[in-house]
Amino acid sequence: MARAALPFRLRTTKPEVPEKTERKAPKSGKTERKARPKSGKAERGTQPARRARNPLFFPVRLLAMLFAFAFMVGFAVVLARLTLEPSPASVALTHTNLHPGSSLRAYLDQPEMRDAIKQIGGNLLLGAPFGILVPVVAPKARGILRVLLLTAVVMLLVEFAQGALVTGRAFDIDDVILNTTGALIGYLLLGRRLSRALHA
């Protein structure tokens, strides 16, 4: 028997193929996963180098800090003997000075320049160890303003003690200024470099 022809045609539909971009998506994830271990290996490689360097540097830094601390103690003893030792023979010559520059003019007006250099240079030298040793012994006081502030406070206390407790001594604001200037010179010449070398 002959089959009857159908009045309509069947349409054949092809299955949809996913886009190529969707297939490439997992590849990008693989590349990211591969890249991460490399960076971790690089970081791990630098850590042993740092750890190997620190053990050799720590004893040197500790020894330098101990030496600076011992020198600081010795300097404190010398400073106390120079500034807090009574001087009965100078009672008639000493007077309190609260005006900055007054004692400096008196030093410069002396007939012999040697006496002026001795007075001004001695006060500068007394302040210089603060600028050199404080940044080494106390890393938190490495800034120039902190060093100057600490020096000024210590020297103010010394001058107050001289004027109130020590015979033949008097408070002089110019001594504080000269001591602080000496600390500034010491910090700029050596203290800043030593502090960076030890605590950088």
Side-chain angles (χ1 to χ4, degrees), residues 107 117-128 155 159 174-176 178-180 182-183:
Y107 295 153
I117 295 174
K118 182 179 178 181
Q119 293 290 338
I120 297 175
N123 284 309
L124 290 175
L125 289 176
L126 280 179
M155 290 306 175
E159 291 295 325
D174 285 338
D175 289 348
V176 178
L178 290 173
N179 297 148
T180 307

Side-chain angles (χ1 to χ4, degrees), residues 86-96 166-170:
S87 179
S90 302
V91 174
L93 301 176
T94 58
H95 62 280
T96 301
V166 183
T167 304
R169 304 284 184 174

